Amino acid sequence: MGKEISNSYRLCKGESVNAIYSEQALKEYKGNPSIEALPPIYSKAEVIRRLSKIPDYNEEERNLEEHYRFHCIQKLFDFFEPLQKHIDIEQRFSRVIRQGYISRNPIGTEYATSLHEGYKRIKAGEYDYVSSIRKSAKASGFTIIGISGIGKTTTIERILSLYPQVIHHTEYKGENLNLYQIPWLKLDCPFDGSLKGLCINFFQAVDELLGTDYLRKFGVGRNSVDTMLPRMEQIANLHSIGVLIIDEIQHLSLAKSGGSSKMLNFFVTLVNTIGIPVILIGTTAALPILQGEFRQARRGSGQGDLLWHRMKNDGYWRLLMQGMWPLQWTKKENPLTEEIINTIYDESQGIIDIAVKLYAMAQIKAIVSGKELITPKIVRHTAKESLQLVQPMLEALRSGDKIEISKYQDITPIDFSQIYTESIAKASTHSSNKMVDEIEIIEEYAVLKLVELGIDANIAKLSVREAITTNPRNLDKIFLVKAAMKIAFEKEQDKLKENVKEKAKKGKRKLQENDLRYIVDMGKKNLYSAYEALNKAGYIKDPVAEFINKENGNVELFSKFIS
């Protein structure tokens, strides 16, 4: 069971909303809640406005450090410029989803009858895989075939974003209506290439959207494609699925699916028997699957097939380049010239996916190289270095040789994530080497300047290293010299103070006890003033006593003289 479910499954999801009904201008659309709950039919101008997607861009981001700008460049992949082809596909989708609902009105008698008959057929096991066709079905679909990278999946997903994926109906014009409508369901073909795997994806997708348990009931065990199809029909009717989109149909294997005849019958049955429009999307590698009777059956639907060729180097290409060009994060900006437009076209051959990725990689290249400017030379060098895998295909397209082009049914998709990782790794290595070289040059310059100013060479080296460590992002020479000078001055001052202390320490001698300095120091320790200490030591005499002694001596001398 687990093996059948692991089909590299990916579900494209949209919004889930409550039904809001709007008045319809066309008579055939009125009174049908499945149609009235859809968004309005958009004009061409409204389609352009709603499909356009310009990522957030701030001019100041160009001044960020390079590792931040590498992240900003990722915004390019959100860019979407609606062109004529996109508008055409939106209008086709708008028509097929509404036309498919006309005969499947959930409040009509045919709807209840269809559900009841479907249930009886499943219970009875009556189902003709090849020829069972619902005559009442108004389903019409179309096929989109084009080379990989032209924008098929991106376009259809942008269009699907205009429509909710689940609409919950509770009441319509005063009457109860308990319905979970699924306007669209997009599936990717399984990589195992089997039709059974595709049916399993259908059940799994509905389960994820509605919380049902169809996969366990109908998609596992011994259920074959023949038994799965009537159950898919019943689920499509029960939940009013509007359009079924099947992408990557080139993955289907003729061998594993029972040959081209059975596969063609399967698709015809999806359109006619299940009764909902089916949009098939694939690369040119899917053309062998869609030949013969299936192509004829599809043309009867009225929508026709759409072969999506690569873009021409015309006004639409210039419109795409003009919309994308302002989204750049190099520090320098040059105007969009004819030479750049032609260069990007030549290196991408009008394949939108390659053009966008080439523009992104060219920006990375310009930033890493330090040139910070997107030029034709940078674009060509980037294409040569990063688009090696698709160069044979691009060269075939460039030559215009139909025999050479026919060798490549598909264009190998470019894995930008891998190229991005490799580019960043190269950028980091290059930046590190470049940073080391710059630091060594600037460090030598700053040391010489400090020595010229009379600063000791050892102190100059230490000061410059400390300045670089403190300000690793600022490698400006003048700034570094000033910062190093300040540090060197502080180091010189500290050295001078140390020398003074050392000299003072060396100048001190041990004083004798009869040294006046010793007596004064000892007196201070005993809280005596210098006078008191010297006085106690007997070095200060009383002037009055001295005078009296002196006078007494004079009296004695005078007495002796008289006598």
Side-chain angles (χ1 to χ4, degrees):
M1 183 175 74
K3 185 177 180 181
E4 288 182 297
I5 297 174
S6 58
N7 294 311
S8 301
Y9 175 74
R10 183 183 77 90
L11 176 63
C12 175
K13 281 189 175 183
E15 288 185 314
S16 180
V17 300
N18 292 322
I20 298 176
Y21 306 107
S22 58
E23 189 66 27
Q24 299 297 301
L26 301 180
K27 181 181 178 181
E28 57 267 34
Y29 294 163
K30 291 182 178 181
N32 189 326
S34 293
I35 296 177
E36 292 183 359
L38 296 175
I41 300 173
Y42 298 121
S43 65
K44 182 178 178 179
E46 188 67 13
V47 170
I48 294 173
R49 187 184 73 81
R50 289 180 176 273
L51 289 184
S52 296
K53 190 175 183 182
I54 306 298
D56 292 335
Y57 177 79
N58 188 336
E59 186 75 20
E60 294 179 0
E61 290 174 343
R62 304 179 73 157
N63 298 319
L64 294 172
E65 294 179 58
E66 63 180 36
H67 58 282
Y68 289 116
R69 288 185 283 152
F70 291 151
H71 284 257
C72 292
I73 290 171
Q74 295 287 324
K75 297 180 185 180
L76 266 172
F77 304 115
D78 288 333
F79 170 75
F80 190 88
E81 180 74 39
L83 302 174
Q84 184 58 45
K85 189 74 69 176
H86 307 130
I87 298 168
D88 178 24
I89 295 173
E90 192 282 331
Q91 290 177 342
R92 292 187 188 212
F93 183 87
S94 178
R95 292 194 296 270
V96 300
I97 190 172
R98 289 169 173 81
Q99 290 295 314
Y101 275 133
I102 290 176
S103 62
R104 297 186 296 131
N105 190 334
I107 62 172
T109 55
E110 290 184 3
Y111 175 75
T113 303
S114 175
L115 286 177
H116 183 64
E117 288 179 354
Y119 176 76
K120 286 196 302 182
R121 282 203 306 273
I122 292 172
K123 294 295 287 184
E126 298 173 356
Y127 190 73
D128 186 346
Y129 175 71
V130 176
S131 60
S132 179
I133 299 175
R134 292 180 60 227
K135 301 296 183 181
S136 61
K138 299 292 184 181
S140 61
F142 59 93
T143 305
I144 304 175
I145 296 293
I147 60 176
S148 178
I150 202 64
K152 304 179 297 297
T153 299
T154 301
T155 300
I156 203 70
E157 289 185 355
R158 285 295 298 159
I159 292 169
L160 294 179
S161 70
L162 304 181
Y163 292 78
Q165 187 166 24
V166 178
I167 302 175
H168 184 205
H169 301 258
T170 55
E171 183 182 341
Y172 179 75
K173 295 184 177 179
E175 298 291 332
N176 290 332
L177 178 61
N178 186 19
L179 171 66
Y180 282 93
Q181 175 189 354
I182 301 177
W184 57 267
L185 191 64
K186 180 178 179 294
L187 307 176
D188 285 350
C189 278
F191 284 99
D192 66 4
S194 69
L195 293 176
K196 184 175 181 180
L198 183 60
C199 296
I200 289 172
N201 282 359
F202 175 89
F203 297 128
Q204 188 173 354
V206 176
D207 286 346
E208 285 197 28
L209 292 174
L210 304 180
T212 49
D213 195 23
Y214 296 131
L215 178 62
R216 185 185 63 81
K217 292 179 180 178
F218 310 131
V220 296
R222 296 182 179 180
N223 286 304
S224 64
V225 173
D226 291 349
T227 60
M228 287 181 182
L229 274 174
R231 288 163 173 79
M232 290 172 66
E233 175 190 0
Q234 189 72 355
I235 291 170
N237 286 330
L238 180 63
H239 299 298
S240 290
I241 297 179
V243 179
L244 179 62
I245 303 104
I246 304 177
D247 200 356
E248 307 291 357
I249 59 172
Q250 72 276 4
H251 290 159
L252 291 176
S253 167
L254 295 175
K256 290 185 179 181
S257 299
S260 60
S261 178
K262 187 173 182 180
M263 187 176 290
L264 293 174
N265 286 329
F266 173 82
F267 285 130
V268 171
T269 302
L270 280 179
V271 177
N272 297 324
T273 305
I274 292 182
I276 63 175
V278 178
I279 299 174
L280 302 178
I281 304 173
T283 67
T284 49
L287 284 174
I289 301 173
L290 304 175
Q291 298 297 328
E293 58 191 279
F294 179 63
R295 178 177 292 277
Q296 296 302 321
R298 302 289 291 181
R299 283 177 179 162
S301 68
Q303 299 301 324
D305 295 330
L306 191 152
L307 290 175
W308 196 337
H309 301 287
R310 59 197 176 101
M311 292 186 70
K312 296 179 180 179
N313 192 358
D314 54 14
Y316 289 116
W317 179 258
R318 281 161 178 73
L319 181 64
L320 177 67
M321 291 296 103
Q322 288 167 1
M324 186 171 64
W325 187 253
L327 300 172
Q328 56 181 260
W329 287 268
T330 52
K331 289 186 177 179
K332 300 175 185 176
E333 182 180 9
N334 57 341
L336 180 63
T337 62
E338 284 295 313
E339 185 182 7
I340 292 175
I341 291 173
N342 294 334
T343 300
I344 295 178
Y345 182 84
D346 184 53
E347 294 296 345
S348 67
Q349 284 300 296
I351 301 172
I352 298 174
D353 179 66
I354 294 179
V356 174
K357 289 175 180 175
L358 177 59
Y359 183 50
M361 290 184 290
Q363 292 197 41
I364 293 175
K365 185 73 175 176
I367 294 171
V368 169
S369 66
K371 298 183 186 303
E372 295 285 353
L373 187 68
I374 302 172
T375 62
K377 185 178 179 180
I378 285 281
V379 172
R380 291 200 183 278
H381 185 75
T382 303
K384 183 179 179 180
E385 188 179 78
S386 302
L387 301 181
Q388 295 179 22
L389 194 62
V390 295
Q391 281 303 329
M393 298 83 164
L394 294 174
E395 190 58 42
L397 293 172
R398 198 176 287 119
S399 70
D401 189 332
K402 292 183 178 180
I403 296 176
E404 283 297 314
I405 294 172
S406 65
K407 294 179 181 179
Y408 307 101
Q409 287 186 315
D410 197 359
I411 291 289
T412 304
I414 300 171
D415 185 359
F416 181 79
S417 60
Q418 181 180 351
I419 296 174
Y420 176 82
T421 303
E422 291 173 356
S423 299
I424 298 305
K426 289 179 182 178
S428 300
T429 304
H430 179 81
S431 298
S432 298
N433 294 335
K434 182 180 176 184
M435 185 73 73
V436 170
D437 293 340
E438 286 185 2
I439 289 175
E440 289 178 353
I441 294 170
I442 295 173
E443 181 180 351
E444 184 178 348
Y445 171 85
V447 170
L448 288 174
K449 283 295 179 183
L450 265 61
V451 171
E452 287 176 7
L453 294 172
I455 296 173
D456 180 77
N458 290 329
I459 292 179
K461 288 180 181 179
L462 292 172
S463 301
V464 171
R465 289 280 175 87
E466 189 174 328
I468 292 173
T469 304
T470 307
N471 302 280
R473 296 183 179 180
N474 197 331
L475 295 179
D476 180 74
K477 291 181 180 179
I478 304 302
F479 175 86
L480 185 60
V481 169
K482 288 181 178 180
M485 279 180 62
K486 184 179 179 181
I487 295 170
F489 177 76
E490 292 174 353
K491 289 184 180 297
E492 289 279 13
Q493 289 292 101
D494 292 341
K495 186 176 180 180
L496 182 61
K497 289 177 182 178
E498 285 294 326
N499 289 339
V500 171
K501 288 180 180 179
E502 189 65 28
K503 288 178 181 179
K505 187 176 182 181
K506 290 180 180 179
K508 287 184 177 180
R509 296 193 302 270
K510 190 174 182 179
L511 301 176
Q512 301 295 324
E513 291 185 1
N514 60 351
D515 193 306
L516 296 179
R517 289 171 295 179
Y518 176 80
I519 295 170
V520 170
D521 288 341
M522 294 302 293
K524 287 181 178 179
K525 291 180 181 180
N526 294 316
L527 302 179
Y528 294 137
S529 65
Y531 176 83
E532 289 175 324
L534 292 172
N535 187 36
K536 285 184 177 292
Y539 284 93
I540 297 179
K541 295 181 179 181
D542 188 347
V544 177
E546 186 68 21
F547 176 76
I548 292 173
N549 289 335
K550 187 176 181 182
E551 288 300 318
N552 287 340
N554 291 335
V555 171
E556 290 178 1
L557 181 61
F558 182 71
S559 299
K560 289 180 180 180
F561 179 75
I562 292 177
S563 61

